[in-house]
């Protein structure tokens, strides 16, 4: 399911998530006790982890410097292997290319491996509108497709849903099965999904997957999965489409292994994903299986423009989800609050680019700048700095809410005006602090205070101790 | 010494504690009059024009000193890492900003690494837990220094805080703009603080400490909140942050 952006409602979405106790429990369990701990354990098993991060950063920067060259080589190699490369400048073009390939194949059903690019271009809705039924085969994607929900995380799309909810969904969506069956255990859910999906894999006319990495020297599209559903999506239908974006290319197979060493480890603490599938070309006469046709759809969708902008570093992103897993804001709001495809810090950098800062202005503000996202990023993307760049743009455009509401602009401007003039600032602040101190009486904090509503909504406001440091220091206090 | 605006206005005792610690460690300290705020609120709100003006003010106020020390990892980090970026297109101011950046330090790091202070001389009979504030931790590597100094406080037991490196949800203006989100983050922090079962919660940044003490007080928790400098300077007799005067 694709999403229309509703990022301007971030505060509302966040509130909804905060009021959802079940979701809050899931978030704590999955992030702090799951992804975060596993990443630390994964790092501890690889002493050269930090060195690999530097290498990966340099590799990605090198690729971005020579993107045209590596993409051209990739195209040549795909063609040599009997495949086709389609260049899509935007989402609409990519959707059309895919529908056209499906039409030519006479496709009624397509099976899909997990692909965030498919979400980015709203592919499923478009396929349905063209009388083609998409079936998601990643377990998480399958679950949210049945529930008609968008993903809430880039690697764990259904992690906002408890296993009890999955059981309910399956009972509703699989009416041909025994309604009294026991779905209390995750294994029961898994085997039921597997049974349902098996038939769909076999029936699909076209298989669509994403690609985590493209290898220029061999024309290979590479994906990682933990369920093997990607392999079945690629191999069983007569046509395979790899839908991917241009920044995923790396020069060589060896470069791909560098990314692979970081990707799963940073995401889930795994040494490697369970399945690392390198897919090159269509079925050759000597192959026993594989699709008759292999298509790669290379999506730009603004990325070449991003390449020439101050946000260029975000193109290094390998979609591991670490910044999301460690973000304190995501940790209490979950993904849907962000209002579009990509959540968390990486999403708050990307989303304004795709949907416009006018729509997405609350997102760059929705960060405490704690810096943990940058600390955990395997390719060292300076996420807070990129978010700050968006705040500059939002401020320049005087956008409401987020980082630059009217009241806040006036308050900030007033503060800056005073703070630039110590001779004015000192008496003004002494006066203000004195008043607040008196107002507090002997109380150490305010429960409510006019003008401090935002602060006191969540917590008491400690009262000033009395006198400014500067005035007391000037009077000789030490 | 750079006092920081929050210390100047909200809790001068942190400034006096820092003065005493620096003096104890043998430094000659001056607090210049021309300083006000490092400009972080403007900088992080995308108001680069005012951020630059406030930075110029600080750069000028501290032009004549060998070292600049601040009782805040956040404000010191702002000067060290962000001032040079503010003047990327202005070679003259950039070199001044870079010069100041090399001379600026967070208080506990300066005490330990430059003045070799190995004994605070303080006494506190009880337990404390420590929150690693984000900017100090990640921009300046402040982690061991305050713990090294706290270990010299006679009678003090440090109970490490679970997820001590997780953000408290303050984030400057973030706490005002996104009160629900910020409130939920600081609630999680307060849970852990209570779990640590310490008498005191300590940290190196007044913003985070005000946030956490405000939440702890709202929850009716008895944990007392101090800036680490106050404990090290033996100034825990008075009210803690957010505590009533007669408490």
């Amino acid at each position: 399911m694709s999403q229309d952006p509703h990022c301007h409602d971030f505060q509302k979405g966040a509130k909804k998530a905060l009021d959802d106790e079940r979701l809050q429990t899931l978030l704590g369990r999955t992030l702090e006790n799951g992804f975060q701990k596993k990443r630390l354990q994964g790092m501890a098993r690889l002493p050269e982890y930090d060195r690999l991060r530097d290498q990966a950063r340099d590799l990605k920067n090198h690729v971005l410097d020579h993107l045209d060259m590596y993409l051209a080589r990739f195209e040549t190699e795909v063609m040599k292997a009997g495949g086709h490369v389609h260049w899509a400048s935007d989402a609409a073009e990519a959707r059309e290319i895919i529908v056209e390939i499906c039409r030519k194949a006479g496709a009624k059903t397509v099976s899909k491996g997990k692909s965030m690019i498919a979400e980015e271009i709203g592919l499923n809705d478009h396929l349905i509108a063209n009388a083609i039924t998409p079936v998601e085969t990643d377990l998480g994607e399958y679950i949210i497709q049945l529930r008609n929900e968008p993903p809430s995380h880039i690697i764990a799309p259904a992690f906002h849903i408890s296993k009890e909810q999955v059981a309910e969904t399956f009972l509703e969506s699989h009416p041909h099965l025994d309604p009294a069956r026991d779905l209390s255990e995750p294994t029961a859910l898994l085997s039921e999904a597997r049974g349902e999906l098996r038939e769909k894999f076999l029936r699909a006319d076209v298989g669509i997957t994403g690609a985590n990495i493209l290898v220029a020297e061999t024309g290979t599209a590479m994906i990682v999965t933990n369920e093997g559903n990607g392999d079945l999506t690629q191999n069983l239908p007569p046509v395979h489409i790899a839908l991917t974006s241009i920044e995923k290319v790396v020069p060589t197979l060896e470069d791909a292994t560098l990314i692979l060493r970081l990707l799963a480890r940073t995401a889930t603490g795994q040494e490697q994903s369970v399945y690392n599938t390198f897919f090159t070309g269509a079925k050759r006469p000597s192959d026993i299986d594989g699709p008759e046709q292999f298509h790669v759809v290379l999506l730009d969708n603004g990325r070449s423009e991003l390449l020439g902008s101050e946000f260029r570093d975000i193109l290094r992103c390998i979609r591991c989800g670490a910044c999301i897993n460690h973000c304190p804001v995501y940790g209490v709001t979950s993904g849907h609050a962000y209002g579009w495809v990509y959540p968390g810090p990486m999403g708050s950098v990307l989303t304004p680019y795709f949907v416009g800062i006018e729509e997405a202005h609350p997102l760059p503000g929705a960060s405490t700048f704690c810096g943990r996202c940058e600390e955990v990023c395997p390719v060292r993307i300076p996420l807070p700095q990129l978010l700050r760049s968006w705040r500059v743009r939002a401020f320049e455009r005087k956008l409401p809410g987020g980082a630059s509401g009217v009241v806040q602009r006036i308050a900030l401007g007033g503060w800056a005006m005073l703070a630039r003039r110590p001779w004015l600032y000192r008496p003004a602040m002494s006066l203000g602090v004195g008043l607040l101190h008196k107002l507090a009486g002997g109380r150490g904090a305010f429960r409510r205070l006019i003008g401090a509503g935002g602060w006191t909504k969540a917590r008491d406001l400690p009262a000033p101790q009395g006198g400014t440091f500067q005035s007391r220091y000037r009077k000789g206090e030490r | 010494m750079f006092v920081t605006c929050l210390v100047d206005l909200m809790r001068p005792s942190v400034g006096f504690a820092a003065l005493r610690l620096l003096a104890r460690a043998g430094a000659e300290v001056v607090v210049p009059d021309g300083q006000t705020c490092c400009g972080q609120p403007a900088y992080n709100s995308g108001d680069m024009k005012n951020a630059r003006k406030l930075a110029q003010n600080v750069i000028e106020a501290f032009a004549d000193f060998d070292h600049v020390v601040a009782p805040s990892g956040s404000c010191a980090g702002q000067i060290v890492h962000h001032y040079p970026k503010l003047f990327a297109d202005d070679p003259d101011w950039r070199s001044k900003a870079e010069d100041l950046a090399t001379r600026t330090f967070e208080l506990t790091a300066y005490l330990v690494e430059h003045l070799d202070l190995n004994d605070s001389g303080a006494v506190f009979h009880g337990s404390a837990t420590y929150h690693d504030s984000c900017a100090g931790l990640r921009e300046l590597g402040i982690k061991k220094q305050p713990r090294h100094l706290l270990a010299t406080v006679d009678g003090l037991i440090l109970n490490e805080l679970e997820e001590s490196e997780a953000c408290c949800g303050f984030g400057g203006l973030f706490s005002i703009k996104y009160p629900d989100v910020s409130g939920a983050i600081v609630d999680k922090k307060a849970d852990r603080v209570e779990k640590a079962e310490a008498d005191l919660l300590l940290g190196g940044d007044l913003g985070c400490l005000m946030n956490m003490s405000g939440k702890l007080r709202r929850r009716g928790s008895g944990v007392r909140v101090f800036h680490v400098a106050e404990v090290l300077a033996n100034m825990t007799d008075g009210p803690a942050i957010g505590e009533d005067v007669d408490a």
Side-chain angles (χ1 to χ4, degrees), chain A residues 252-304:
Chain A
T252 66
L253 281 168
E254 197 172 334
D255 297 325
T257 63
L258 170 62
I259 305 292
L260 285 180
R261 293 185 79 189
L262 292 168
L263 180 57
R265 191 177 300 270
T266 311
T268 56
Q270 291 168 284
E271 312 289 320
Q272 296 285 323
S273 287
V274 179
Y275 295 86
N276 291 318
T277 310
F278 293 79
F279 200 97
T280 313
K283 183 183 173 189
R284 290 162 300 188
S286 56
D287 292 341
I288 47 168
D289 54 17
E292 310 287 332
Q293 292 175 36
F294 173 56
H295 298 268
V296 182
V297 179
L298 278 178
L299 177 72
D300 185 323
N301 211 18
R303 285 168 175 80
S304 47

Side-chain angles (χ1 to χ4, degrees), chain A residues 180-220:
Chain A
R181 65 194 184 280
D182 179 14
L183 290 178
S184 57
E185 290 302 315
T187 46
L189 295 169
L190 194 64
S191 62
E192 178 161 324
R194 177 181 269 181
E196 292 296 305
L197 285 169
R198 180 150 302 171
E199 189 207 338
K200 287 174 169 136
F201 280 123
L202 291 168
R203 237 185 3 199
D205 308 301
V206 172
I208 301 176
T209 63
N212 293 86
I213 303 169
L214 304 173
V215 184
E217 69 172 352
T218 55
T220 301

Side-chain angles (χ1 to χ4, degrees), chain A residues 132-164:
Chain A
I132 300 164
T133 307
V135 180
E136 295 291 347
T137 65
D138 171 273
L139 180 60
E141 288 282 335
Y142 178 65
I143 293 165
I144 61 171
Q145 189 183 27
L146 293 180
R147 295 170 62 90
N148 204 25
E149 284 179 27
S152 69
H153 191 290
I154 61 169
I155 64 159
F159 101 110
H160 59 290
I161 300 165
S162 67
K163 69 177 197 296
E164 290 77 21

Side-chain angles (χ1 to χ4, degrees), chain A residues 11 32 362 370 375 388 391 402 408 419 426 442 444 447 454 456-460 462 465 468-470 474, chain B residues 8 10 12-13 31 33 35-36 44 138 167 177-180 182 188 192 211 214-215 217-218 244-245:
Chain A
Q11 299 261 31
E32 283 145 34
C370 77
E375 182 184 88
R388 195 180 290 108
R391 292 189 187 181
Q408 197 195 321
R426 298 253 165 268
R447 204 174 168 83
T456 52
K457 192 173 176 190
R459 47 189 115 55
D460 290 1
Q465 215 170 24
T468 68
F469 175 88
Q470 286 280 11
R474 304 280 153 227
Chain B
D8 182 35
M10 301 302 289
S13 59
V31 182
D33 192 17
Q35 59 171 308
T36 55
N44 283 339
R138 298 196 178 89
C167 177
K177 286 177 330 208
Y178 296 89
D180 297 323
S182 171
K188 282 168 105 172
R192 292 177 182 133
N211 181 41
K215 176 53 89 176
R217 184 178 158 116
R218 177 72 53 103
D244 294 344
V245 175

